[in-house]
Amino acid sequence: MEKKHFITIAIASVVLVSCQKEQFGIAPAEEETHTVTIAAQTEKTVIDIQADATSVKWTGTETVTAFENGKKSKSAHISTTDGGATAVIEAEFTNVVADSYKYNAIVAKSLSDKKNPLLPSRQTATASSYDSDADILISDFSEPSSTVATNLSLRFARPVVINRMLLLGLSENEKVREVEFRASCCLAGRFSIDYDEGKVSEYGISEQKSSIIVSYRNDEAAASDGTFPVYFLSFPTPDQTGCGNFSVRVATDKYIYNKTVSGKMLEFKLNTITKFKMDLSTATKTAVSGDETFVQAISADEIRSGVQCIITAA
């Protein structure tokens, strides 16, 4: 009888302890983490554009995601040195036991799918720089290591092209609101990356766009000589062969300009700033009036500056 009584007490004790855990909610142990410091190599790892459209630098405001064996970092922060000439990334990872460890990183504002980043066709720029929120930088992989890294260097490259289109023929202080550049080749969309090689596998695998729309948060005024630089990001031209049959639409506070150029080719090259001019003095232009005009739009791509739209379902 005493033996049975002892067993009953022991079982009751186990049940009591179990109930206490449920009642007071004992917290699970916190995940252990480690930090990896990544130095960004090469002068081509850049974000901002200076006024001469040749100098570029880190700003320290970039959004970066680091990867350890393909798994995203819990957090990653970037800081700059030498006036933005170089950058350092501090990435925090959850501890995971593995046979080897290798690292890479991507600089992009939004990275919901690391395999297929998106270069948006709608971009917001200033008179001195392109839309840094649309910019993308990818790194190569670090050499595999048998232990977790603490410090390493990665080489970054930009898989998209910086373009500077200089508008001519505007009036002094004419305010630019929106610019649309259209071409016969794919300029934006999703693309796939070979992370082992640190380069693009294929451009335009989905959501292909043959136009880039650049808008401005505040109306940007043309220079006293009637010029205005338009910065935008695009895919490189296929096989570096060039892109023809391009046109432009410019909406200002005074006119809406439309111009088509035939018989000329533009070549958008990686690792450089593509510069070209667009003379609006020979463009078709329509004066902007105060009269309200409404058109029907069934998607965001159909919305244009200077035109009032009624949004309807497709």
Side-chain angles (χ1 to χ4, degrees):
M1 290 297 294
E2 291 180 352
K3 187 174 184 180
K4 287 184 178 181
H5 184 63
F6 177 80
I7 294 175
T8 302
I9 292 174
I11 293 174
S13 299
V14 171
V15 174
L16 178 61
V17 171
S18 176
C19 292
Q20 287 176 335
K21 287 184 178 180
E22 292 178 1
Q23 181 179 355
F24 295 104
I26 297 177
E30 292 186 5
E31 291 181 331
E32 294 185 352
T33 63
H34 60 279
T35 299
V36 179
T37 301
I38 303 171
Q41 294 182 338
T42 181
E43 294 179 355
K44 296 186 185 302
T45 302
V46 292
I47 295 292
D48 199 29
I49 295 183
Q50 302 304 297
D52 61 3
T54 56
S55 302
V56 281
K57 66 176 183 179
W58 287 94
T59 65
T61 60
E62 298 84 6
T63 300
V64 60
T65 303
F67 299 89
E68 182 182 70
N69 291 344
K71 293 185 177 180
K72 287 185 179 182
S73 54
K74 289 174 65 67
S75 63
H77 306 284
I78 191 168
S79 59
T80 63
T81 57
D82 301 328
T86 57
V88 175
I89 300 166
E90 297 286 340
E92 183 185 17
F93 296 97
T94 300
N95 289 355
V96 176
V97 177
D99 294 333
S100 63
Y101 301 85
K102 60 180 182 179
Y103 301 84
N104 66 308
I106 302 176
V107 175
K109 185 68 175 180
S110 177
L111 193 64
S112 59
D113 182 353
K114 77 181 184 71
K115 291 297 182 183
N116 299 321
L118 173 68
L119 175 64
S121 61
R122 283 185 171 271
Q123 302 172 17
T124 303
T126 68
S128 60
S129 183
Y130 61 91
D131 187 353
S132 61
D133 286 350
D135 201 13
I136 300 171
L137 298 171
I138 61 175
S139 79
D140 55 3
F141 264 115
S142 64
E143 290 294 328
S145 171
S146 59
T147 59
V148 169
T150 54
N151 292 275
L152 56 88
S153 295
L154 292 177
R155 179 179 58 84
F156 284 77
R158 175 178 285 109
V160 294
V161 182
I162 302 173
N163 302 291
R164 180 182 185 269
M165 176 174 63
L166 184 64
L167 301 179
L168 308 175
L170 297 168
S171 59
E172 181 180 355
N173 293 324
E174 187 170 356
K175 295 180 179 179
V176 178
R177 293 174 174 171
E178 185 179 271
V179 177
E180 180 179 11
F181 177 78
R182 300 180 295 270
S184 58
C185 53
C186 180
L187 299 174
R190 290 199 180 275
F191 57 98
S192 57
I193 296 176
D194 182 340
Y195 288 88
D196 288 321
E197 296 293 331
K199 64 181 182 180
V200 173
S201 301
E202 183 180 359
Y203 288 100
I205 60 173
S206 64
E207 301 179 51
Q208 298 179 356
K209 299 292 182 181
S210 59
S211 66
I212 300 291
I213 299 174
V214 182
S215 58
Y216 300 88
R217 291 186 175 89
N218 299 305
D219 293 350
E220 298 276 356
S224 58
D225 60 357
T227 63
F228 184 83
V230 179
Y231 294 97
F232 64 95
L233 299 166
S234 74
F235 289 159
T237 45
D239 300 323
Q240 309 293 326
T241 57
C243 189
N245 300 321
F246 51 92
S247 61
V248 67
R249 177 186 179 277
V250 180
T252 73
D253 62 330
K254 297 180 179 180
Y255 298 100
I256 295 178
Y257 300 83
N258 284 281
K259 183 172 182 176
T260 299
V261 178
S262 302
K264 292 185 178 181
M265 301 291 288
L266 283 175
E267 187 176 356
F268 303 133
K269 295 182 178 181
L270 294 174
N271 302 323
T272 186
I273 298 177
T274 301
K275 301 178 185 178
F276 60 100
K277 299 177 181 179
M278 185 67 71
D279 188 357
L280 299 180
S281 63
T282 57
T284 301
K285 65 180 183 179
T286 305
V288 175
S289 67
D291 297 334
E292 292 187 342
T293 301
F294 294 89
V295 298
Q296 184 181 33
I298 61 175
S299 70
D301 290 338
E302 297 182 16
I303 299 175
R304 298 291 184 270
S305 178
V307 179
Q308 299 192 59
C309 300
I310 300 175
I311 307 297
T312 60

